[in-house]
């Protein structure tokens, strides 16, 4: 018994020694049984005919039909697929002997022994028995231990057929006790559907204690050859399906990348011109609307696009890794849609965005100042126009022609007072002109009206100057004719005019608008106001003195009983006017106090906002930097597995995402600062832009690092790289990454390879550098290093394997037919091949033939379809 038989259980009720004794008894009986020789002859004849019919020939009697050696030589040619030497066609005995010898010589040349049962035949028998046992193991009532009694009930034959062609036999309906029915069913189906001729008689097998072993082996071997080819075809089809599945999945990923890249580039194309538009609006409200739109862009529109860009890069890297692992050519996106193209477009977007917010704030500050200047211009212009109103009529009067000397002198003094007042207004006119000029320079939206009003004021001012000079000249000419003057009003006029100018200046200063940005500026205004208030007692004394002059005039008139006009001929400023203006000054002082104190409180509020923002920013900025460092360290650690690293990175990612409310709160504080028009913050070096850029970089870094680890896991698992090998690669890389920046320079990479056992010449090293640094940057990244080491140590599927699989499906033809593809492959993958395979034009081509070799090499980038 064979080694395999010794390992298998018996179900016949014998122990091993009893079974061997029974075997010997059966063999002796067979040698004495004439039916045995008849069965051998019949089986061998059927076996020969199963091959000869391929050549259109049959035999009936082995001794007679093989006697001349011609059909024997033909049989050997059919079995081997080779041509034997040309047979002798004579009918003499020596011709027949010569042909038989040629057949025997050919058999001998193939290493086949013609006598005895050698080790090779025993080995073949054991292999065939083991194949039968594996195939029939799941079936009830079947226990194949040999090639005789194990097959008597026919169930083993039926099990073999059902295992490979379950459509031909309903095994559940078979009856173990119906041996004859089972055998005939198996033999009929084998002949009709499997092209296996009947070599055995069911009655002989049932009625013989031990069926002929060689006959059953011969017949079972026909099943083996029939089904082995089918299994080979199934294996080939499975390999092709797997490879095509990978290809189809990769194509879907490529299409998805193209779609996402197109959408992102289109968004960038639409957004960049908007950010590059620096056309300023004319009003504060419109510029504030622009600022709100920009805030919406930064908070709502851009963050999803940052994630899309990051995910697009991750998808691209994953796709390239899958292509590289499956030995496919690298993916080349459509023109303009490379990752570098997207990065370039994104850089242009961020460049446009970088200066946009600063420009908006500058323009808002500019409009704020313009509005302030415009209001200041209106106040000063209105004040001056009110003062100048009616002055031309006064200066053009001819009252001096009928006036007395006293009246003339009074008119002259009055005119001098007016000239003094006119001189005092010179600075105000210059201030109005200067404000108008600045509004012109700041491109005020209603500058035409400002210029028109300013020009009108200047024209009136010039006219007043001319009329003043003419009137002086007229009065001075008349003065020589008049000598009497009233001295009492002179002092009043001299003192009231500058005091009145002081009052008007004080009222204007107290009502003057102010714009400040710091507490210090407010405090400076408060100090100036306090200084002004300190001069009020002295001014009040001067007021009382001036009013005292008028009271003295009244006393004199009263004392001498004069009932004339008490109007001061030397002054246009009445005591009532001085008193009214003084009262107005007293009311304006506390109002100015309140306005300055309110502004001081607002600036203190702004300072609280600055400190509140700085307190958060000074925590968030270092927190982001610390997370970046942790992620960098994690990506280079080699203490644990890649899965450990992935777990750690996922925890980091969760912590980072959970930190997002702090960023949102800081954004809210930043918005309050902007709405308060705060433009500086001495309490922190971090701006909102710094925090945004750092946050976006942190999100991108953790996502990319996770993708790098996923890619390493994918590479490791697909290529069969062990964790120890991966750790060795990482350890070597970390050792020679001297700058700890995730890259090795050329010399360090050479040293790394030498440390790992590479014997490098210049030519070989140049070849390797072309693989790991195709763009000649001078550095080797960790991913490039891992990809190279993976290719060096792992097996990959090849185009040759795919070609060999298609050749099996094509029955060893150089082409394959559409029907064959649809029969052997699932429907979608068959149609995938049919739509992409080019027609076969080589030798022996038939209509509809497809070139599977060109298709297979194109899958791996070795040719173009």
């Amino acid at each position: 018994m064979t080694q395999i038989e010794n390992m298998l259980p018996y179900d016949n009720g014998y122990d091993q020694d009893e079974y061997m004794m029974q075997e010997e008894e059966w063999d002796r009986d067979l040698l004495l049984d004439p039916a045995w020789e008849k069965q051998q002859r019949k089986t061998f004849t059927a076996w020969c005919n199963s091959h000869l019919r391929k050549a259109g020939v049959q035999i009936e009697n082995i001794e007679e039909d093989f006697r001349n050696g011609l059909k024997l030589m033909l049989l050997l040619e059919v079995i081997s697929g080779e041509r034997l030497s040309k047979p002798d066609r004579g009918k003499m005995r020596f011709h027949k002997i010569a042909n038989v010898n040629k057949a025997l010589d050919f058999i001998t040349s193939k290493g086949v022994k013609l006598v005895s049962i050698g080790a090779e035949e025993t080995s073949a028998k054991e292999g065939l028995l083991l194949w039968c046992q594996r195939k029939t193991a799941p079936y009830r009532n079947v226990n194949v231990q040999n090639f005789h009694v194990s097959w008597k009930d026919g169930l083993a034959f039926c099990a073999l057929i059902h295992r490979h062609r379950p459509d031909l036999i309903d095994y559940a309906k078979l009856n173990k006790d119906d041996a004859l029915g089972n055998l005939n069913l198996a033999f009929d189906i084998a002949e009709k559907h499997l092209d296996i001729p009947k070599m055995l008689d069911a009655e002989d097998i049932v009625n013989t204690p031990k069926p002929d072993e060689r006959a059953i082996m011969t017949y079972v071997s026909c099943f083996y050859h029939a089904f082995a080819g089918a299994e080979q075809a199934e294996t080939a089809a499975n390999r092709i399906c797997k490879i095509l599945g990978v290809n189809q999945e990769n194509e879907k990923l490529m299409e998805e990348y193209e779609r996402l890249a197109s959408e992102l580039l289109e968004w960038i194309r639409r957004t960049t011109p908007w950010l590059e538009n620096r056309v300023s609006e004319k009003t504060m409200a419109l510029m504030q609307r622009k600022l709100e739109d920009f805030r919406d862009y930064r908070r709502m529109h851009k963050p999803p696009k940052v994630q899309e860009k990051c995910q697009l890069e991750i998808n691209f890297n994953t796709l390239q890794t899958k292509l590289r692992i499956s030995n496919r050519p690298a993916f080349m996106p459509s023109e303009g849609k490379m990752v570098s193209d997207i990065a370039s477009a994104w850089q242009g977007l961020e460049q446009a965005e970088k200066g946009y917010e600063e420009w908006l704030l500058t323009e808002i500050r500019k409009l704020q100042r313009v509005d302030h200047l415009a209001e200041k211009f209106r106040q000063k212009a209105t004040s001056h126009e009110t003062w100048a109103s009616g002055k031309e009529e006064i200066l053009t009067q001819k009252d001096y022609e009928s006036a007395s000397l006293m009246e003339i002198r009074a008119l002259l003094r009055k005119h001098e007072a007016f000239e003094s007042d006119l001189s005092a207004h010179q600075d105000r006119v210059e201030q109005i002109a200067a404000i108008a000029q600045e509004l012109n320079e700041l491109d005020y939206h209603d500058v035409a009206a400002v210029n028109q009003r300013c020009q009108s004021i200047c024209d009136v001012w010039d006219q007043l100057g001319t009329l003043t000079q003419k009137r002086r000249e007229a009065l001075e000419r008349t003065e020589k004719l008049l000598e009497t003057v009233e001295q009492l009003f002179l002092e009043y006029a001299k003192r009231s005019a500058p005091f009145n100018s002081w009052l008007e200046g004080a009222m204007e200063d107290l009502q003057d608008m102010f714009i400040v940005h710091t507490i210090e500026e407010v405090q400076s205004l408060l100090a100036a106001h306090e200084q002004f208030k300190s001069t009020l007692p002295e001014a009040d004394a001067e007021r009382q003195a001036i009013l005292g002059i008028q009271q003295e005039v009244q006393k004199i008139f009263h004392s001498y009983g004069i009932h004339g006009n008490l109007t001061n001929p030397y002054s246009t400023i009445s005591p009532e006017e001085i008193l009214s203006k003084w009262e107005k000054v007293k009311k304006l002082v506390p109002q100015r106090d309140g306005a300055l104190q309110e502004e001081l409180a607002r600036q203190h509020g702004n300072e609280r906002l600055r400190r509140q923002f700085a307190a958060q920013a000074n925590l968030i900025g270092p927190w982001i930097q610390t997370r970046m460092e942790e992620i960098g360290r994690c990506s280079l650690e080699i203490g644990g597995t890649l899965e450990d690293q992935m777990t750690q990175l996922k925890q980091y990612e969760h912590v980072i995402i959970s930190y997002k409310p702090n960023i949102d709160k800081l954004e809210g504080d930043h918005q309050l600062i902007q709405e308060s028009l705060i433009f500086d913050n001495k309490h922190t070096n971090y701006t909102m832009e710094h925090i945004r850029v750092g946050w976006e970089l942190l999100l991108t870094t953790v996502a990319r690092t996770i993708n790098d680890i996923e890619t390493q896991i994918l590479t490791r698992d697909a290529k069969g790289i062990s964790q120890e090998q991966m750790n060795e690669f990482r350890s070597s890389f970390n050792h020679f990454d001297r700058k700890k920046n995730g890259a090795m320079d050329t010399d360090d990479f050479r040293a790394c390879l030498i440390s790992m056992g590479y014997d490098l010449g210049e030519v070989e090293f140049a070849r390797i550098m072309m693989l790991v640094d195709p763009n000649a940057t001078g550095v080797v990244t960790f991913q490039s290093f891992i990809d190279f080491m993976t290719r060096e140590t792992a097996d990959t599927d090849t185009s040759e394997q795919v070609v060999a699989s298609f050749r099996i499906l094509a029955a060893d033809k150089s082409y394959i037919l559409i029907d064959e593809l649809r029969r052997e492959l699932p429907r979608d993958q068959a149609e995938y091949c049919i739509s992409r395979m080019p027609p076969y034009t080589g030798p022996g081509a038939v209509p509809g033939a497809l070139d599977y070799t060109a298709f297979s090499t194109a899958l791996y980038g070795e040719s173009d379809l």
Side-chain angles (χ1 to χ4, degrees):
M1 295 181 62
T2 64
Q3 181 181 2
I4 294 176
E5 289 173 325
N6 287 329
M7 297 170 61
L8 297 172
Y10 294 90
D11 62 349
N12 297 325
Y14 299 113
D15 62 21
Q16 186 171 344
D17 292 336
E18 290 176 333
Y19 186 82
M20 290 184 68
M21 292 173 63
Q22 181 64 51
E23 283 269 349
E24 292 174 359
E25 182 179 348
W26 282 338
D27 289 342
R28 286 193 301 271
D29 291 342
L30 283 175
L31 292 176
L32 299 175
D33 186 0
W36 174 82
E37 181 179 355
K38 178 182 178 182
Q39 180 63 52
Q40 288 284 312
R41 189 186 307 275
K42 180 179 178 180
T43 301
F44 184 64
T45 300
W47 179 82
C48 291
N49 283 332
S50 69
H51 293 288
L52 286 173
R53 63 182 173 179
K54 297 176 183 178
V57 177
Q58 294 285 301
I59 64 171
E60 295 181 1
N61 187 291
I62 295 177
E63 290 88 344
E64 294 299 327
D65 292 337
F66 280 167
R67 185 180 299 277
N68 61 7
L70 294 177
K71 290 185 177 181
L72 179 59
M73 292 179 68
L74 181 59
L75 174 64
L76 293 175
E77 287 183 348
V78 172
I79 294 173
S80 68
E82 300 181 19
R83 296 289 296 179
L84 275 67
S85 60
K86 186 176 181 180
D88 292 349
R89 292 296 180 178
K91 296 183 179 181
M92 302 298 291
R93 185 171 181 273
F94 71 86
H95 292 134
K96 297 177 181 180
I97 294 174
N99 289 336
V100 172
N101 286 335
K102 288 178 181 180
L104 297 177
D105 290 342
F106 178 79
I107 293 173
T108 304
S109 69
K110 297 302 180 182
V112 178
K113 296 181 180 181
L114 300 177
V115 294
S116 181
I117 300 179
E120 294 85 353
E121 184 176 350
T122 301
S123 177
K125 174 183 175 182
E126 293 174 355
L128 182 62
L129 182 64
L130 181 60
W131 178 80
C132 294
Q133 290 168 341
R134 286 204 309 270
K135 294 300 180 181
T136 60
Y139 292 87
R140 60 181 176 80
N141 297 325
V142 178
N143 186 9
V144 177
Q145 303 296 330
N146 48 58
F147 285 110
H148 39 83
V149 294
S150 295
W151 302 83
K152 287 190 64 173
D153 59 10
L155 291 180
F157 290 110
C158 293
L160 277 181
I161 295 173
H162 184 269
R163 179 63 181 269
H164 296 90
R165 291 290 303 274
D167 57 310
L168 298 179
I169 288 182
D170 187 354
Y171 187 85
K173 294 182 178 180
L174 298 180
N175 184 356
K176 178 178 176 62
D177 297 329
D178 186 12
L180 192 62
N182 295 339
L183 289 168
N184 283 325
L185 176 65
F187 296 163
D188 291 342
I189 290 176
E191 184 175 39
K192 181 177 179 182
H193 296 284
L194 304 178
D195 199 27
I196 299 175
K198 287 187 177 180
M199 300 182 184
L200 305 173
D201 286 327
E203 292 81 359
D204 292 343
I205 295 175
V206 172
N207 297 326
T208 303
K210 178 186 177 185
D212 181 61
E213 184 176 50
R214 288 177 178 269
I216 291 180
M217 277 184 61
T218 302
Y219 188 57
V220 170
S221 68
C222 293
F223 283 88
Y224 172 81
H225 291 297
F227 292 140
E231 289 182 352
Q232 190 179 24
E234 181 181 357
T235 301
N238 290 337
R239 179 184 293 118
I240 290 172
C241 289
K242 180 180 178 181
I243 292 170
L244 293 180
V246 170
N247 222 58
Q248 289 172 303
E249 181 183 356
N250 291 341
E251 287 183 359
K252 290 180 182 178
L253 292 176
M254 294 174 191
E255 293 171 359
E256 179 69 7
Y257 174 87
E258 291 280 343
R259 182 184 67 79
L260 292 177
S262 298
E263 291 176 358
L264 182 59
L265 287 170
E266 174 61 21
W267 179 82
I268 294 173
R269 184 192 65 77
R270 293 195 313 267
T271 305
T272 301
W274 173 67
L275 293 173
E276 290 175 341
N277 180 16
R278 298 295 195 273
V279 177
S280 179
E281 301 293 345
K282 297 297 185 182
T283 65
M284 178 72 79
L286 292 176
M287 287 305 293
Q288 287 286 3
R289 180 66 261 170
K290 276 183 175 286
L291 182 60
E292 288 299 322
D293 290 343
F294 180 72
R295 287 172 180 161
D296 290 343
Y297 158 78
R298 289 305 303 266
R299 291 184 179 182
M300 295 185 292
H301 303 307
K302 185 184 177 186
K305 298 302 177 183
V306 172
Q307 293 298 319
E308 287 180 20
K309 174 178 175 290
C310 178
Q311 191 61 46
L312 193 65
E313 294 173 358
I314 290 172
N315 291 351
F316 181 82
N317 292 334
T318 300
L319 173 58
Q320 297 293 44
T321 299
K322 289 185 175 181
L323 290 171
R324 186 168 55 250
I325 289 172
S326 59
N327 204 23
R328 304 299 198 278
F331 169 52
M332 290 296 292
S334 302
E335 184 176 358
K337 296 179 184 176
M338 293 288 291
V339 172
S340 58
D341 296 324
I342 295 172
S344 177
W346 190 267
Q347 184 179 8
L349 175 77
E350 294 199 327
Q351 190 64 33
E353 175 189 320
K354 184 177 182 182
Y356 188 72
E357 184 175 23
E358 182 179 350
W359 172 78
L360 281 174
L361 295 176
T362 301
E363 289 299 310
I364 289 174
R365 187 184 300 178
K366 175 182 173 182
L367 284 176
Q368 184 187 39
R369 174 157 179 78
V370 167
D371 288 349
H372 170 73
L373 288 175
E375 180 61 27
K376 191 170 185 178
F377 174 84
R378 284 191 289 270
Q379 287 187 2
K380 288 186 177 293
T382 300
S383 176
H384 178 76
E385 288 168 345
T386 301
W387 173 84
S389 177
K391 295 295 189 292
E392 288 190 24
E393 290 78 4
I394 295 174
L395 291 172
T396 56
Q397 290 178 355
K398 302 294 185 179
D399 52 351
Y400 55 83
E401 294 179 351
S402 59
S404 65
L405 177 61
M406 182 179 294
E407 291 172 338
I408 289 298
R409 287 181 176 174
L411 289 174
L412 185 59
R413 298 300 180 268
K414 185 176 180 180
H415 188 69
E416 289 175 350
F418 175 77
E419 287 181 325
S420 177
D421 196 16
L422 186 69
S423 177
H425 276 80
Q426 176 67 37
D427 288 342
R428 298 176 189 174
V429 174
E430 291 176 355
Q431 290 177 9
I432 290 171
I435 293 173
Q437 178 63 31
E438 188 169 357
L439 286 172
N440 274 272
E441 294 172 355
L442 293 175
D443 194 23
Y444 177 54
H445 67 90
D446 200 14
V447 71
V450 170
N451 290 337
Q452 183 178 358
R453 192 173 184 182
C454 181
Q455 186 61 47
S456 175
I457 290 172
C458 291
D459 291 344
V460 171
W461 180 256
D462 292 341
Q463 182 67 13
L464 289 177
T466 300
L467 292 175
T468 299
Q469 181 63 27
K470 289 181 179 180
R471 184 169 178 82
R472 168 170 279 283
E473 292 173 355
L475 290 174
E476 286 179 349
R477 286 193 304 268
T478 308
E479 186 183 18
K480 296 179 181 180
L481 304 174
L482 305 172
E483 296 178 351
T484 305
V485 294
E486 294 184 8
Q487 296 295 326
L488 193 59
F489 288 115
L490 183 61
E491 180 68 16
Y492 177 89
K494 287 183 178 180
R495 297 179 71 170
S496 64
F499 186 70
N500 183 63
S501 295
W502 180 87
L503 285 173
E504 290 182 344
M507 288 189 296
E508 185 173 348
D509 290 342
L510 288 171
Q511 297 178 87
D512 193 14
M513 296 178 64
F514 56 84
I515 180 169
V516 294
H517 300 288
T518 64
I519 294 175
E520 291 75 12
E521 290 177 351
V522 179
Q523 291 174 338
S524 176
L525 290 176
L526 279 169
H529 185 61
E530 291 298 323
Q531 178 64 31
F532 168 77
K533 289 197 296 185
S534 68
T535 65
L536 289 178
E538 183 180 349
D540 189 39
E542 180 66 9
R543 176 187 65 82
Q544 293 178 12
I546 293 171
L547 294 178
I549 293 173
Q550 183 66 16
Q551 291 172 359
E552 185 66 25
V553 170
Q554 291 176 347
K555 284 181 181 181
I556 293 172
F557 270 66
H558 181 71
S559 298
Y560 290 97
I562 302 174
H563 299 286
N565 189 359
L566 291 178
T567 302
N568 192 330
Y570 300 106
S571 176
T572 60
I573 305 170
S574 68
E576 292 78 13
E577 183 179 356
I578 289 177
L579 183 60
S580 174
K581 291 180 179 179
W582 175 255
E583 291 298 325
K584 188 171 183 179
V585 167
K586 290 199 305 181
K587 290 181 180 179
L588 290 174
V589 167
Q591 292 177 5
R592 184 75 168 183
D593 277 333
L596 289 173
Q597 289 299 332
E598 182 180 345
E599 180 61 27
L600 181 61
R602 191 176 75 85
Q603 290 300 328
H604 277 297
N606 289 351
E607 183 66 12
R608 284 193 298 273
L609 289 177
R610 289 187 181 96
R611 292 180 182 275
Q612 182 175 326
F613 177 86
Q616 292 187 80
N618 289 337
L619 293 175
I620 292 175
W623 187 90
I624 291 175
Q625 182 62 34
T626 300
R627 300 293 83 74
M628 289 288 290
E629 293 171 357
E630 289 175 349
I631 292 169
R633 287 194 300 270
C634 180
S635 65
L636 296 177
E637 290 177 354
I638 61 173
T641 64
L642 291 175
E643 285 75 12
D644 293 338
Q645 277 187 284
M646 179 64 70
T647 300
Q648 184 66 48
L649 287 169
K650 290 290 186 180
Q651 292 174 355
Y652 286 152
E653 184 180 42
H654 176 73
V655 170
I656 292 169
I657 293 173
S658 300
Y659 199 74
K660 181 64 163 58
N662 296 285
I663 305 297
D664 295 337
K665 185 177 185 304
L666 191 65
E667 283 280 9
D669 291 345
H670 178 63
Q671 181 171 346
L672 292 176
I673 284 178
Q674 286 191 331
E675 291 171 351
S676 299
L677 298 178
I678 300 172
F679 303 107
D680 56 4
N681 194 339
K682 65 183 179 181
H683 304 297
T684 181
N685 292 325
Y686 294 101
T687 65
M688 195 64 230
E689 184 64 23
H690 290 149
I691 299 299
R692 287 171 184 155
V693 171
W695 178 252
E696 291 174 1
L697 180 60
L698 179 61
L699 291 175
T700 302
T701 299
V702 72
R704 286 177 177 168
T705 305
I706 288 174
N707 177 248
D708 287 342
I709 299 302
E710 288 174 341
T711 300
Q712 292 178 37
I713 292 173
L714 184 63
T715 301
R716 181 198 65 190
D717 295 343
K719 298 299 184 179
I721 303 299
S722 67
Q723 185 64 47
E724 291 73 16
Q725 286 177 302
M726 189 64 72
N727 286 343
E728 181 184 355
F729 298 159
R730 294 163 67 197
S731 175
S732 299
F733 183 89
N734 291 345
H735 178 78
F736 289 97
D737 177 16
R738 305 189 192 280
K739 297 179 181 178
K740 303 306 176 186
N741 61 352
M744 293 185 289
D745 60 27
T746 304
D747 292 337
D748 288 336
F749 179 55
R750 182 195 295 271
C752 180
L753 291 180
I754 293 173
S755 72
M756 300 182 74
Y758 281 79
D759 185 11
L760 297 175
E762 290 301 324
V763 175
E764 175 64 9
F765 184 68
R767 181 191 69 81
I768 294 175
M769 285 302 297
M770 285 293 293
L771 295 175
V772 298
D773 184 22
N775 296 324
T777 61
V779 295
V780 179
T781 64
F782 179 68
Q783 189 58 47
S784 295
F785 176 73
I786 288 295
D787 290 343
F788 169 73
M789 295 307 301
T790 298
R791 285 194 297 270
E792 291 291 301
T793 57
D795 295 328
T796 59
D797 57 79
T798 64
S799 61
E800 290 80 5
Q801 292 177 338
V802 182
V803 170
S805 297
F806 273 116
R807 184 178 296 277
I808 291 172
L809 299 187
D812 211 33
K813 300 190 299 293
S814 298
Y815 57 85
I816 193 167
L817 300 176
I818 292 176
D819 290 342
E820 291 174 327
L821 287 171
R822 287 175 174 162
R823 183 179 68 245
E824 300 292 348
L825 298 178
R827 184 172 181 273
D828 61 333
Q829 294 185 333
E831 298 304 322
Y832 178 85
C833 293
I834 292 169
S835 65
R836 286 166 172 77
M837 276 191 188
Y840 176 75
T841 57
V846 298
L850 299 177
D851 190 343
Y852 59 77
T853 301
F855 172 78
S856 300
T857 55
L859 286 179
Y860 293 84
E862 299 171 9
S863 67
D864 296 323
L865 288 181

